[in-house]
Amino acid sequence: MAETDVRRVGLSGKKRAGSDDVDCDDYMSSKKALVTMPPSWEDPVAVLANSRHEFGEHGGVNMSIEASATFTVMEPETMRRMFSGELGPDRDFFVYSRHFNPTVLNLGRQMAALEGTEAAYCMSSGMAAISSVLLQLVSSGGHVVASRSLYGGTHALLTHFFPRACNITTTFVDLGDLEMVKEAMVEGRTKVLYFESMSNPTLLVANVPELSRIAHDKGVMVVVDNTFAPMVISPARLGADVVVHSISKFISGGADIIAGAVCGPASLVNSMMDLHQGALMLLGPTMNAKVAFELAERIPHLGLRMKEHCHRALTYATRMKKMGLKVIYPGLDDHPDHSLLKSLANKDYGYGGLLCLDMETEDRANRLMNHLQNFTQFGFMAVSLGYHETLMSCSGSSTSSEMNAEEKALAGISPGLVRMSIGYSGTLEQRWGQFEKALNRIQDSGVFPKN
C-alpha cells in the first residue's frame, strides 16, 4: 500500500454518504488548516492546546469512539483503490483497524503534538513500540548501539531475543563517555543509537543534543525512550529522530492501561503501517479504539499531573538528603547530571517524578518498603510508575532482574536500589509524615546507609 501521510489522516470532518467520491475542496481546506497551525516550541502544553480537537460525531465535546474492526465502502471499486493506495485515511477512507483506526489516529495526533514530531502512532504496549520501531529500522545483520542502563525488558530484547531471532546485535555503552559511543558505531552497519532520556532505574540524564550529533555524523538514527520524562524533556526538539513511550505510565496515570507509542517522522510511521513491509501492520500490536479514547481524555491534564509529581519528588528528595539518606534525584544539586537536565528540560515542569534510595542491600530495601507500605501507608510495593499513589520496587530483583550481576554493576544498579515513583494523592505533608513515621519504626539505626 502506498504511504499515507499520517499528519493529514482524518482531517476532514465530512462524512461520506452515498458516494465514495472525495470532496477535494473540503480536504484541501482541512489540510491547509493543519499546515498553518502555529506550533509552539516553548511548552508542550501550548502545543497540545494548539492541536486539532476532535469533536464527537453528533457535536459532542469529546470525540466519538470508532469501535469497528472493519469499514464499509459505498462502491465496489473503492476497495480496490484503497488496497492499491489511491485512497487512504488522509481522505477518510479506512480498511481495517489493524491498519488505521480514526480514534487511534487521533491519540497519535496528540502524542505527536506532545513530543513535537511530525507524526505518531499508538499500539498495545511500550515494548510493542520499542520492538516494532527497531525492527523497522534495523534489518538482519544490522547493529544497534545502546545505553548500558536500560529497562530490563528492553535490555533482554537487545541482548537475547534480537541476536537469536533476528540476527541483530547490540553494543552497550556508557552514555556519559561520548568517545565510547562514537567508537561503538560501525560505519554502514550500525543503524540505531538507542537510549532513555532518563535512565531506568538509575535516573541518569542523556545528553540528547550531543548524542544525536554524534549519531547523525555517522548516519545513525537516534531512538529515545521518554517514558520517565514526558513534558519534562522533549527529545525530538533536542535532535532525536524517534521518541517511544510506554503510555501505561505517566501519560495514562491510572495504572489501568497497557499501551505504547512511536513518535517520529511521518515517513517512518507510514512505513511501519505499510501493508507489505510494515512492522506494526504485519506484527499486529494493535491498540483498541476504546483504549485510545480513554487515553486521549487523560493527555490534556498530563502537564498538571507531571508538575505535581515532580514538585513532590524534589521536595521529598531534598528532605531525604538532609536526613542523610543516600538519595538519587536529578533535581538535586549534587546529582552528576543536574546541570545537564536544567539545560535540556522544558521550563516549569521540574526534574522528573521518580527518585531512588540506595539501601545498598536487598534486605535493607525490603525492610524499608515493608514499613512504608504495611505500617504507614506511604506507598505501594509495585512495579510501574506514574500512578497517583507512590509505587516502590527494588529494581535489581524486579524491573532489572533480566540483567546479570555484571550488567547491573555496569549500569550502576545497586542490589538495594529502591525506585520510587512519587504520587500526588493526599497532601504533601501527610505523605511526608508517613515516610518519617516509617523511619522511626525501624529501630536498627544502621539500616539506612548514610551519604
Side-chain angles (χ1 to χ4, degrees):
M1 180 173 284
E3 289 187 353
T4 300
D5 190 339
V6 180
R7 290 171 294 176
R8 301 198 305 264
V9 166
L11 289 178
S12 175
K14 181 180 174 64
K15 298 295 180 183
R16 290 178 285 116
S19 170
D20 289 328
D21 291 337
V22 176
D23 188 326
C24 291
D25 289 338
D26 281 0
Y27 166 62
M28 291 307 294
S29 64
S30 296
K31 176 183 174 184
K32 181 179 179 182
L34 181 66
V35 170
T36 58
M37 182 169 30
S40 167
W41 299 107
E42 300 302 319
D43 192 322
V45 165
V47 184
L48 282 167
N50 283 331
S51 65
R52 168 187 167 181
H53 184 86
E54 187 81 11
F55 292 101
E57 185 175 2
H58 302 288
V61 295
N62 294 320
M63 68 175 172
S64 300
I65 303 174
E66 183 51 81
S68 297
T70 191
F71 299 82
T72 189
V73 296
M74 302 306 297
E75 299 169 359
E77 177 67 9
T78 302
M79 191 168 291
R80 182 199 64 77
R81 295 176 67 192
M82 287 194 294
F83 273 87
S84 69
E86 293 177 49
L87 299 174
D90 55 333
R91 300 188 182 188
D92 203 26
F93 286 87
F94 294 89
V95 177
Y96 189 64
S97 279
R98 178 162 53 85
H99 189 228
F100 285 110
N101 174 283
T103 313
V104 179
L105 280 171
N106 185 66
L107 177 63
R109 282 194 290 268
Q110 288 178 297
M111 289 301 301
L114 171 64
E115 286 297 349
T117 59
E118 282 186 318
Y121 204 69
C122 302
M123 58 222 66
S124 56
S125 72
M127 283 306 299
I130 294 166
S131 57
S132 295
V133 75
L134 290 177
L135 286 172
Q136 194 69 32
L137 293 174
V138 188
S139 301
S140 175
H143 179 245
V144 175
V145 174
S147 170
R148 286 174 175 167
S149 187
L150 292 174
Y151 163 59
T154 309
H155 196 279
L157 176 75
L158 295 171
T159 304
H160 305 296
F161 184 84
F162 273 4
R164 174 182 63 80
C166 310
N167 190 31
I168 295 171
T169 57
T170 299
T171 300
F172 293 96
V173 296
D174 175 0
L175 282 189
D177 186 341
L178 298 180
E179 196 60 35
M180 183 182 188
V181 175
K182 186 185 301 183
E183 291 178 358
M185 295 179 188
V186 181
E187 184 121 13
R189 187 162 166 259
T190 303
K191 303 300 180 183
V192 167
L193 172 62
Y194 183 92
F195 55 89
E196 296 164 349
S197 58
M198 195 175 291
S199 66
N200 181 1
T202 51
L203 304 183
L204 296 173
V205 180
N207 190 337
V208 182
E210 277 301 297
L211 290 166
S212 298
R213 181 188 60 78
I214 291 170
H216 293 156
D217 285 346
K218 296 271 191 175
V220 173
M221 292 276 283
V222 177
V223 180
V224 180
D225 183 339
N226 200 33
T227 299
F228 269 35
M231 295 285 180
V232 177
I233 301 175
S234 299
R237 302 178 194 177
L238 299 171
D241 300 294
V242 183
V243 181
V244 294
H245 273 280
S246 171
I247 303 180
S248 319
K249 311 304 192 297
F250 284 112
I251 294 173
S252 166
D256 58 341
I257 289 175
I258 300 294
V262 173
C263 312
S267 59
L268 172 65
V269 176
N270 292 327
S271 72
M272 295 179 74
M273 297 303 293
D274 184 82
L275 189 65
H276 303 290
Q277 298 195 54
L280 289 177
M281 178 63 183
L282 298 176
L283 296 177
T286 307
M287 175 179 281
N288 186 289
K290 297 171 186 176
V291 169
F293 173 83
E294 287 198 32
L295 291 169
E297 297 301 293
R298 301 178 190 192
I299 288 181
H301 49 72
L302 174 62
L304 296 174
R305 291 188 280 117
M306 286 306 301
K307 287 182 178 182
E308 188 61 16
H309 281 298
C310 295
H311 168 64
R312 292 200 183 192
L314 176 60
T315 302
Y316 294 162
T318 301
R319 293 180 181 182
M320 290 174 185
K321 181 183 174 183
K322 288 180 178 177
M323 297 174 72
L325 302 179
K326 295 182 69 173
V327 61
I328 301 166
Y329 183 66
L332 296 176
D333 293 341
D334 62 353
H335 189 282
D337 297 327
H338 177 68
S339 296
L340 173 62
L341 181 55
K342 284 186 72 174
S343 71
L344 302 181
N346 293 312
K347 186 180 179 182
D348 298 329
Y349 288 95
Y351 301 100
L354 290 104
L355 63 82
C356 292
L357 281 176
D358 188 356
M359 303 303 294
E360 296 182 348
T361 70
E362 187 177 351
D363 178 65
R364 287 172 171 170
N366 289 339
R367 288 179 63 185
L368 172 65
M369 292 188 296
N370 181 52
H371 278 75
L372 289 173
Q373 173 180 286
N374 296 323
F375 292 102
T376 67
Q377 292 77 53
F378 172 77
F380 303 145
M381 287 183 282
V383 297
S384 198
L385 52 124
Y387 190 44
H388 55 82
E389 297 280 0
T390 293
L391 302 180
M392 308 170 291
S393 60
C394 183
S395 295
S397 56
S398 58
T399 54
S400 296
S401 60
E402 297 91 340
M403 303 167 74
N404 62 38
E406 181 182 356
E407 290 165 340
K408 290 175 190 175
L410 286 171
I413 302 172
S414 160
L417 191 70
V418 177
R419 189 188 75 184
M420 291 186 180
S421 170
I422 303 300
Y424 52 78
S425 66
T427 69
L428 186 155
E429 295 302 335
Q430 173 191 15
R431 294 305 190 197
W432 178 250
Q434 292 169 330
F435 183 85
E436 287 187 309
K437 185 178 178 181
L439 299 191
N440 292 334
R441 287 186 64 97
I442 299 175
Q443 299 302 315
D444 181 3
S445 61
V447 74
F448 292 104
K450 303 293 183 178
N451 275 322

